Amino acid sequence: MPHEKTIKRLALYLRSLRYLAEKRVEIISSEKLTEHIHASPAQVRKDLACFGEFGVPGVGYQVKKLIAEIESILGLKEKREVALVGIGKLGGALLAYTGFRKFGFRISALFDNNPEKIGKKISGLKIEDVVRIEEVLKRRKIKIAITTVPATNAQEVANRLVAAGIKVILNFAPHYLNIPQGIIINTIDMAIELECLAYFLTHKI
Amino acid sequence: MPHEKTIKRLALYLRSLRYLAEKRVEIISSEKLTEHIHASPAQVRKDLACFGEFGVPGVGYQVKKLIAEIESILGLKEKREVALVGIGKLGGALLAYTGFRKFGFRISALFDNNPEKIGKKISGLKIEDVVRIEEVLKRRKIKIAITTVPATNAQEVANRLVAAGIKVILNFAPHYLNIPQGIIINTIDMAIELECLAYFLTHKI
DNA sequence: TGATGTGAATAACTTCACAGCG
DNA sequence: CGCTGTGAAGTTATTCACATCA
């Protein structure tokens, strides 16, 4: 029923709510919540309405309770193992990024196709050969992968991940990936984001 | 007139068209173009129609000509200097990323607030103190910035960039930024992208 | 004939506005 | 009285379908 945009906003609300919780704020209205988000109060209420009634009319939302609800909706309650394919500079940066761990994601399997990297350890994890993706991911029942490989290898890696039974892919390779239905893919193409900005630089201003 | 989504798709079309050009494809229909893009043929035609008539009825689009047209629309014809604030692992990865350079963006000014980093050189560029952002960017007339700083410093850095006359910001800090109207900001929040995927992992499958 | 360009129709998304509850 | 939850209204975006042109 709810769509992807709603889900992304829920994650944004969650970020704000956590911030508010740190500041010991206990109750928040949809109006106040949107002060640090590009969304309207009605939008917040509609988004939440997809999943239940979490607020108190005339009062607002209990911050802690709403955090728990959204975490439950997004499925952040349990820890999740993540595979990282492509241990270059970007891969290394993501591996070191604390933002993932904070929300229950733990990168716990590394893969690369470079013989000089295979077998080495980073952050206590051994880099495996990409040909072992299927074996390792099946054994360890890993369902989430992040790919930071060159565009030319992206489809091959995606095929291996699909064969390994992966369910969602966060892809940083600037390339279209042909993936069977049912597997969720989210591509972050940083060059394209910059190109868009170039448009606004030339036209909108 | 055209909206942000149209612009983003144009950048995607461009990526495919460049790929086709490398393969020596000379003519392409809107139908064939969408084989490697999540968009409909009608969508392609509508998007392009915002900016003119680039196709030949009964034939299709000349690949080379369409590339030139889209590059012109997006404003990719000229080289652009980019400032990078926050020279951590992610910043270093972006600095090394060839995808930006390929499309006319050149990271040519580096800033950090860490005394141990300030003054050092990476890729031939000296890391400057963030307090010098305004001075350096004004002098060199840099209008684009990429920020890869911790959430806690993001707003302060954004304020400095605004004071320096920056026009667009590609922000990787997981934090809302309060920016005056007229300045374009695009936030890539990788943790939030993963959180969204967690939802689909738990519900959609 | 075959693919574009485009008004008209549809679908998706957002905001409005207000009843109802604490 | 204030803020939620929500049907209705409005807006934006996408797809359809076809006239048109090479």
Side-chain angles (χ1 to χ4, degrees), chain B residues 57 128 132 171 173 188 191:
Chain B
E128 305 278 359
R132 297 192 57 212
N171 172 50
I188 296 178

Side-chain angles (χ1 to χ4, degrees), chain A residues 10 13 30 33-34 39-49 61:
Chain A
L10 285 182
Y13 304 155
S30 59
L33 181 59
T34 56
S40 68
Q43 183 87 80
V44 171
R45 300 199 298 272
K46 261 276 153 67
D47 286 341
L48 293 173
Y61 301 89

Side-chain angles (χ1 to χ4, degrees), chain A residues 2-5 7-8 11-12 14-15 18-19 35-38 51 72-76 78 80 82 89-90 92-94 96-97 99-100 103 105 143-144 146 167-170 172-177 182-205, chain B residues 2-5 7-8 11-12 14-15 18-19 35-38 51 72-76 78 80 82 89-90 92-94 96-97 99-100 103 105 143-144 146 167-170 172-177 182-205:
Chain A
H3 219 302
E4 195 176 326
K5 282 193 157 184
I7 303 305
K8 193 168 256 179
L12 280 167
L14 183 56
R15 194 175 66 186
R18 281 165 168 157
Y19 178 76
E35 276 178 10
H36 289 171
I37 292 175
H38 294 289
F51 299 96
S72 167
I73 291 165
L74 295 180
L76 300 175
E78 48 189 307
R80 298 184 186 281
V82 179
K89 293 203 176 183
L90 181 56
L94 296 183
Y97 184 49
F100 294 145
F103 302 145
F105 300 97
K143 298 297 176 199
I144 304 180
I146 301 177
K167 290 284 184 250
V168 308
I169 300 173
L170 183 57
F172 286 87
H175 197 276
Y176 170 87
L177 296 182
I183 292 173
I184 312 292
I185 181 156
N186 185 353
T187 294
I188 296 179
D189 191 321
M190 298 179 295
I192 282 186
E193 301 296 335
L194 246 197
E195 289 181 44
C196 290
L197 290 176
Y199 170 83
F200 294 111
L201 193 57
T202 37
H203 291 74
K204 215 169 176 179
I205 303 167
Chain B
H3 219 299
E4 195 176 325
K5 282 193 158 184
I7 304 305
K8 194 167 254 179
L12 280 167
L14 182 56
R15 194 176 67 186
R18 282 165 168 157
Y19 178 76
E35 277 179 9
H36 290 171
I37 291 175
H38 293 290
F51 300 97
S72 168
I73 292 165
L74 294 181
L76 300 176
E78 48 189 306
R80 297 184 186 281
V82 178
K89 293 204 176 183
L90 181 57
L94 296 182
Y97 184 48
F100 294 145
F103 303 145
F105 300 97
K143 299 297 176 199
I144 304 180
I146 301 176
K167 291 284 185 247
V168 307
I169 301 173
L170 182 58
F172 285 87
H175 197 273
Y176 169 87
L177 297 182
I183 292 174
I184 312 292
I185 181 154
N186 187 352
T187 293
I188 296 178
D189 190 321
M190 299 179 294
I192 281 185
E193 302 295 335
L194 245 197
E195 290 181 44
C196 290
L197 290 177
Y199 170 81
F200 294 111
L201 192 58
T202 35
H203 291 74
K204 217 170 177 178
I205 303 167

Side-chain angles (χ1 to χ4, degrees), chain A residues 43-80:
Chain A
Q43 183 87 80
V44 171
R45 300 199 298 272
K46 261 276 153 67
D47 286 341
L48 293 173
C50 295
F51 299 96
E53 307 193 358
F54 309 122
V56 182
V59 180
Y61 301 89
Q62 242 186 284
V63 172
K64 278 193 176 175
K65 185 183 163 223
L66 193 53
I67 288 175
E69 293 288 1
I70 295 180
E71 283 181 342
S72 167
I73 291 165
L74 295 180
L76 300 175
K77 291 288 189 177
E78 48 189 307
K79 299 269 173 260
R80 298 184 186 281

